[in-house]
Amino acid sequence: PWPSHPVEPGRMQIIELMNQLHNEADNEHIATTLKQDSVLLYRILRLVNSPALSTGQPITSAEDALMELGREQLFRWLTVLLFQLDGEAARDLSLLDMALIRARFMETLGGPSQSPQEANQRFLIGLFSLLDVLLQTPLPRALALLQLPESVNQALLQHNGPHAAYLQLAQLCEGDELEGLADTGGNNQGQLDELLQQLRLQPYQVDTCHLSALLWAESLRP
């Protein structure tokens, strides 16, 4: 159990901006909010101009970020910035690595047949699955700060719904169980087999997605 303490002001500001996006505040209002915090704006611009995300055109302002990324993608990368508040803090960087790998892994597992909305929700579930550790507060309380789609809350809090199996598979693949995909070893092989059957995935697809997620997360390291 963590001691009760308030969320850091910097993280609370990011959360408030994310809620503005969710509540469909107009672009001018969002851009104004961003420009009021030069450090946050700098972090966003540095992230969206990184080699992994760059569109080829430099993004130099809050308006550019909104125009080039769109509101859904800006929401996504604000979530990533929750983990980067303390810059080079080893704990936060380690959490960021794990959260990004989970998020990207879950996003790509659905393949090209999934809708953009489904992919985005799975990405957010992967990131938010470690929000309690980041904020050092129980997950229900941490998620209560945000206004999230019901399917996201359902996967994270109730462990059911259309995305829950993807999160279970991502968590299993963080341990030694990924090696178990290639043979019949592993302590949770039965659970792995059940998840693979449920999601209609082959072991090689999981292995490929996980490796791709590892490389992608490394490319985003600050």
Side-chain angles (χ1 to χ4, degrees), residues 12 14 22 33 46 61 84 103 108 153 162 194 200-201 216:
M12 202 63 231
I14 294 174
H22 181 79
T33 303
R46 186 177 68 172
S61 68
Q84 291 187 4
T108 55
N153 284 322
E194 184 179 336
R200 299 180 180 178
L201 291 169
W216 183 83

Side-chain angles (χ1 to χ4, degrees), residues 17-24 30 66 71 74-75 78:
L17 187 55
M18 290 164 66
N19 284 333
Q20 287 181 22
L21 283 165
H22 181 79
N23 290 327
E24 300 185 355
I30 297 294
L66 274 166
R71 300 167 69 88
L74 180 58
F75 185 96
L78 283 170

Side-chain angles (χ1 to χ4, degrees), residues 18 25 33 45 47 57 73 119 122 126 133 147-148 155 160 176 184 215:
M18 290 164 66
T33 303
L45 294 178
L47 180 65
Q57 297 292 328
Q73 291 296 309
R122 288 171 190 151
V133 184
Q147 298 163 17
L148 297 172
N160 59 34
D176 296 333
T184 57
L215 296 172

